[in-house]
Each structure stands twice: as structure tokens, then as C-alpha cells.
Amino acid sequence: MFDLAVFGSLFLTLFVIMDPPGITPIFLALTAGRPGKVQKRMAFQAVCVACGVITVFGLLGHQILDYLHVSVPALMIAGGLLLLLIALDLLTGKTDEPKQTKDVNVALVPLGMPLLAGPGAIVSVILAVQKADSVATQVSVWGAILAIHVVLWLVMRYSLLIIRIIKDGGVVLVTRLAGMMLSAIAVQQIINGVTQVIKGA
């Protein structure tokens, strides 16, 4: 009742797209200055949001996009623009938000979506679920989805140890680095979306 090949293929695909190691500096930058308990809670919230979004799109992805008349390239471009706005804030140091919504907003956007549950991951899951034509492959697909989210949580949860080593000066450096990386991810996502629009025209 389990297809290891399907599990491994989807897990590796999601690992590359969601990039647990690459999310570390971005997570540290977005959660810098908060108490350790809050950061740990935000890591859990972000993973729960991502898993929830991925699950919903895995089950109802085609219906949702068709109902809203939204194409996958449009989803990619919108996600890229949102990430670019966050990246510019990180690069310029303008990351202050109202205190009462700071924790929730960062866990939901951009960490949960579109950084973790981005268009690439959503499309990969929609296609994988669609191709799963037996109980064994369905179990394998959802097992891979669950496994990658556990890995994401572990990476963000234990990346907090880095803050104790690099101190405040290192956090500023990581923030700027994360902004640069995130801007590159955002631009690439926009390029991919525009390319798909051109190919489909």
C-alpha cells in the first residue's frame, strides 16, 4: 500500500522547490528580534499554513483555479510580485509592522504563502495528485507532502540556534542576504510565469 518511487520523486521535487536549507536565512531575517518561543511558534504556524494551502490545492486545485478563471502563470507572477515587495523591505530595512499583527502576518505571509506554499509547489502537488490512480500512489503522494513539511519545520525550528552564534550584527547581515536571495527568487518566479504566458499565446 505504498509506492516508494512516487514518494521519493515527489519528496525530492518539493525539496528542491520549497528549499528547506534556503529558507533558513529568510526565516531568521523575518523573525529577528522576537523571543525564542514566538519564533518557534511562528515556524510551526508557517508550516501549518503551507501544509493547509498545499492540501487544499491538492484536493481542489483545478476546481479553484477554474472557478476563479486564474491560470497557473498568473498565480506564479502574482506570487513573485508579492515576494519582491517583501524582499525590498528586507533589503532596505523597512520590516516594521504593527506589533499586534506582526507575528501572525509574518507566519502567514510571506512564510506560509507564497514562500513555502508557492506556485511551484502547488502546481507540483496538483499534478501529482491528479496522476495518482491507486490507493498506494495516493498514500505515497500525501506521505511525501507530510514528510517535506516535517523537514521544513525541523529546519526552521533548529535554525534558531544560529542566532545565538551570530548575534545582532549577524542578524542584520542575514537580513540583507535574505532580501537579496528572496528578490532573486521573486524575479525568477515572475520570469517563469511570463515565459509560460508567452508559450501559451
Side-chain angles (χ1 to χ4, degrees):
M1 293 295 289
F2 192 81
D3 192 323
L4 189 58
V6 172
F7 174 89
S9 176
L10 182 58
F11 180 84
L12 288 175
T13 299
L14 292 177
F15 189 91
V16 170
I17 293 172
M18 302 177 88
D19 192 14
I23 201 69
T24 300
I26 298 171
F27 171 73
L28 292 176
L30 291 173
T31 61
R34 296 173 175 82
K37 288 184 178 179
V38 173
Q39 290 175 308
K40 292 173 185 176
R41 187 175 72 244
M42 289 173 67
F44 183 72
Q45 287 175 340
V47 170
C48 286
V49 169
C51 189
V53 170
I54 291 289
T55 299
V56 169
F57 275 93
L59 295 172
L60 304 169
H62 280 295
Q63 293 89 327
I64 292 173
L65 294 180
D66 289 343
Y67 178 76
L68 296 175
H69 302 290
V70 173
S71 66
V72 172
L75 187 65
M76 296 177 71
I77 294 171
L81 289 172
L82 180 57
L83 287 180
L84 188 58
L85 290 174
I86 302 296
L88 291 174
D89 282 345
L90 289 175
L91 284 169
T92 57
K94 298 176 182 177
T95 55
D96 292 332
E97 301 176 65
K99 191 168 184 181
Q100 66 270 23
T101 60
K102 191 174 183 181
D103 294 348
V104 176
N105 284 347
V106 173
L108 296 177
V109 178
L111 279 175
M113 184 180 180
L115 197 51
L116 295 180
I122 288 172
V123 172
S124 297
V125 168
I126 289 175
L127 294 177
V129 172
Q130 188 178 22
K131 292 177 182 177
D133 53 3
S134 69
V135 175
T137 52
Q138 284 283 352
V139 170
S140 303
V141 165
W142 291 106
I145 293 170
L146 179 61
I148 191 62
H149 284 88
V150 170
V151 170
L152 284 165
W153 175 75
L154 290 173
V155 168
M156 290 191 291
R157 166 69 174 76
Y158 290 101
S159 69
L160 298 176
L161 298 174
I162 298 173
I163 294 179
R164 300 177 186 176
I165 300 172
I166 63 177
K167 306 298 182 184
D168 291 342
V171 169
V172 174
L173 178 62
V174 167
T175 300
R176 299 299 181 267
L177 175 63
M180 190 164 58
M181 291 172 56
L182 195 56
S183 63
I185 293 171
V187 170
Q188 186 61 57
Q189 194 163 292
I190 293 171
I191 291 172
N192 292 344
V194 171
T195 301
Q196 289 195 25
V197 170
I198 294 173
K199 287 181 178 179

